[in-house]
Amino acid sequence: MHHSTDTQGDSAAAATRRDLAVRAAVDQGLVTEDDQPVVALLDVRSVRETAAAVRDAFTEVAAPGQNVLHTFAVKAASLVPVLRLLADEGIGCEVASPGELALARAAGVPADRTVLDSPAKTGAELREALALGIALNADNPQELARLDALVTPGAAPASPVGLRVNPQIGEGAIGAMSTATATSKFGVALRDPGARDWVVEAYRERPWLTRLHSHIGSQGIPLELMAEGARATYDLAEEINAATGRRQIDTLDLGGGLPVNFSSDEFTPTHRDYARLLARTVPGLFDGRYGIVTEFGRSLTAKAGTVLARVEYAKSAGGRPIAVTHAGAQIAVRTVFTPDAWPLRVAAYDAKGMPKRGDTVAQDVAGPCCFAGDLVARDRPLPRLEAGDHAALLDTGAYYFSNPFGYNSLPRPGVYGFTVADDEEVSFTAVREPQSLDDIVAESGGAQRDALRSAN
């Protein structure tokens, strides 16, 4: 893990804001005993500070006037107000589905600040992207053949178009998050027999291919491996441009995001750590000849988020205390099913939303889902949680807010952005209203109640 003197925002100040927000959420009724036992809170200042840190980190290493576009991987927080907030901070959108593109457009993100990277684009998606002027990266030879049929011969498309390659340089600590393995489903596998030559020829035959894209992974991927992926992408771009006799590739899209430190409030590694490592490893990236696109996701919003859940019951089994809360697999699906890869910190607060003090007791923190493995923390030392207290899942501002698991038809919690004034007054703004039971019935076919009764 890299460390830096750049704290990317004051982690102690962020922790203080979190404590104030938790108390205010209880005081203002965002989390209640009956109808709202769980809520998601997003620190607006933290998001803004992190976006500024990304911009500053790359400005430091880029050549004067070099075109650097930072995009946010929409899958990490697919909430329109979050995308709008990031857009205000100069961050565009990386989208991987028609739904994510619709969200980016609803947020007002311009086409020239949007990149489409889905590995399974339909013909309709390709036509829409080309019509809108949205940059896209083809994933494979068959997709490139589809584009051949859509691009007018001899004319450059309105959209910048690239090809995604997989440099096959290995995996990180979490296999499911590693996208540059020998058998990854993404991109053209460069080390497969004949693949590199095919890629060079594909560019030679298509002057309208002007970008090159790779994505090494995110959580569990060391920065050194990410930098090696960037080096492989840069080297291939140089080879292609030499083969075509001109600077055909003008932009390198460096996908993947920074891993997030889930073990403390410290923001490490920082975006400055990464930018400086890129500059040392691949100096040519920042000499001004290439535009650069980044696709950070969880590192922009994870540490800004807190899921706050009321403890409904406190019990014990086999001598181990268990706090039964309202935040489980329906919110923290990765943590519940792969806890070793996605551990979350849990903070204990009392019934009034004040941090709990006192001796710690090893205990389980369970969710509301009706299966035994619905635990967000196992044997975790915490001040003993009692009924009416609150458990906070920290660093949950990416994925946890907007990627729900529909188990037991549990309603999605409300998401609220918060700001803290100098006098410590906390203001909340609704990002997504809590899902109602009527909403659940409607999306579960309630209007078609009798549809199957007359089916033959």
Side-chain angles (χ1 to χ4, degrees):
M1 184 75 74
H2 284 250
H3 294 275
S4 170
T5 56
D6 169 26
T7 61
Q8 193 147 18
D10 187 333
S11 58
T16 298
R17 292 197 301 271
R18 180 176 67 229
D19 286 347
L20 292 169
V22 167
R23 185 175 67 193
V26 175
D27 288 345
Q28 297 182 33
L30 295 188
V31 59
T32 63
E33 182 175 347
D34 294 323
D35 57 344
Q36 300 297 338
V38 60
V39 67
L41 309 174
L42 186 73
D43 184 344
V44 174
R45 178 172 175 176
S46 179
V47 176
R48 289 191 187 278
E49 288 179 345
T50 305
V54 171
R55 297 194 312 267
D56 292 347
F58 280 78
T59 297
E60 176 187 293
V61 297
Q66 184 170 7
N67 183 19
V68 180
L69 170 63
H70 300 293
T71 65
F72 176 68
V74 171
K75 58 185 173 288
S78 48
L79 297 162
V80 171
V82 174
L83 305 182
R84 180 68 254 172
L85 172 65
L86 288 166
D88 286 347
E89 295 297 320
I91 309 293
C93 282
E94 183 269 337
V95 301
S97 73
E100 289 183 359
L101 176 55
L103 295 177
R105 298 186 70 192
V109 178
D112 64 2
R113 302 186 69 79
T114 305
V115 180
L116 174 62
D117 280 335
S118 166
K121 306 178 197 70
T122 64
E125 286 179 76
L126 295 174
R127 289 191 294 272
E128 179 183 29
L130 291 172
L132 294 173
I134 289 169
L136 62 91
N137 293 304
D139 180 80
N140 56 71
Q142 292 179 19
E143 184 179 341
L144 196 55
R146 284 187 180 179
L147 286 168
D148 285 338
L150 297 173
V151 173
T152 303
S159 299
V161 181
L163 182 66
R164 178 169 182 168
V165 296
N166 169 16
Q168 296 172 292
I169 59 175
E171 70 178 21
I174 306 174
M177 295 293 104
S178 301
T179 53
T181 62
T183 57
S184 171
K185 75 175 188 177
F186 294 103
V188 177
L190 281 181
R191 297 185 182 180
D192 283 12
R196 193 178 188 95
D197 290 341
W198 178 86
V199 168
V200 173
E201 190 59 27
Y203 277 84
R204 198 199 308 268
E205 293 173 350
R206 298 168 180 84
W208 46 267
L209 275 181
T210 59
R211 292 188 170 190
L212 187 64
H213 173 50
S214 69
H215 183 305
I216 309 306
S218 50
Q219 194 66 24
I221 305 295
L223 296 195
E224 291 79 6
L225 193 63
M226 293 179 64
E228 284 304 311
R231 188 211 300 270
T233 307
Y234 171 83
D235 288 346
L236 179 57
E238 294 281 275
E239 180 180 341
I240 291 169
N241 285 348
T244 60
R246 62 192 184 91
R247 194 166 64 90
Q248 178 170 330
I249 295 177
D250 59 25
T251 300
L252 301 178
D253 185 337
L254 306 179
L258 294 195
V260 169
N261 166 33
F262 287 103
S263 64
S264 77
D265 284 325
E266 184 183 3
F267 200 123
T268 180
T270 68
H271 294 93
R272 177 163 283 130
D273 290 333
Y274 179 51
R276 289 176 175 175
L277 178 62
L278 282 178
R280 292 194 303 270
T281 306
V282 201
L285 280 179
F286 299 113
D287 63 10
R289 290 178 299 130
Y290 292 101
I292 302 293
V293 177
T294 70
E295 299 177 355
F296 298 118
R298 67 172 53 83
S299 63
L300 278 163
T301 60
K303 300 197 83 64
T306 301
V307 171
L308 183 66
R310 188 172 181 276
V311 178
E312 195 65 39
Y313 298 109
K315 56 190 291 187
S316 65
R320 181 181 296 176
I322 304 170
V324 181
T325 81
H326 290 272
Q330 89 280 19
I331 294 171
V333 59
R334 285 177 170 173
T335 296
V336 168
F337 288 110
T338 53
D340 292 340
W342 300 100
L344 282 178
R345 291 183 294 147
V346 179
Y349 293 87
D350 65 18
K352 294 183 178 180
M354 300 294 290
K356 288 206 80 169
R357 309 298 182 191
D359 296 338
T360 61
V361 177
Q363 57 200 295
D364 290 352
V365 181
C369 295
C370 196
F371 66 95
D374 186 30
L375 301 171
V376 294
R378 292 171 167 82
D379 204 21
R380 185 73 59 84
L382 291 166
R384 185 158 187 157
L385 288 163
E386 304 290 354
D389 287 341
H390 298 87
L393 310 185
L394 308 185
D395 307 325
T396 46
Y399 294 97
Y400 293 86
F401 285 10
S402 61
N403 294 30
F405 178 41
Y407 203 89
N408 287 140
S409 296
L410 289 160
R412 291 188 290 273
V415 179
Y416 297 87
F418 70 86
T419 55
V420 180
D422 291 340
D423 62 359
E424 298 191 346
E425 182 178 351
V426 180
S427 299
F428 292 103
T429 302
V431 172
R432 183 188 69 206
E433 295 289 348
Q435 187 181 31
S436 70
L437 298 183
D438 286 344
D439 293 335
I440 292 176
V441 171
E443 72 175 26
S444 300
Q448 290 78 40
R449 183 189 65 177
D450 297 323
L452 299 180
R453 299 177 72 190
S454 60
N456 294 324

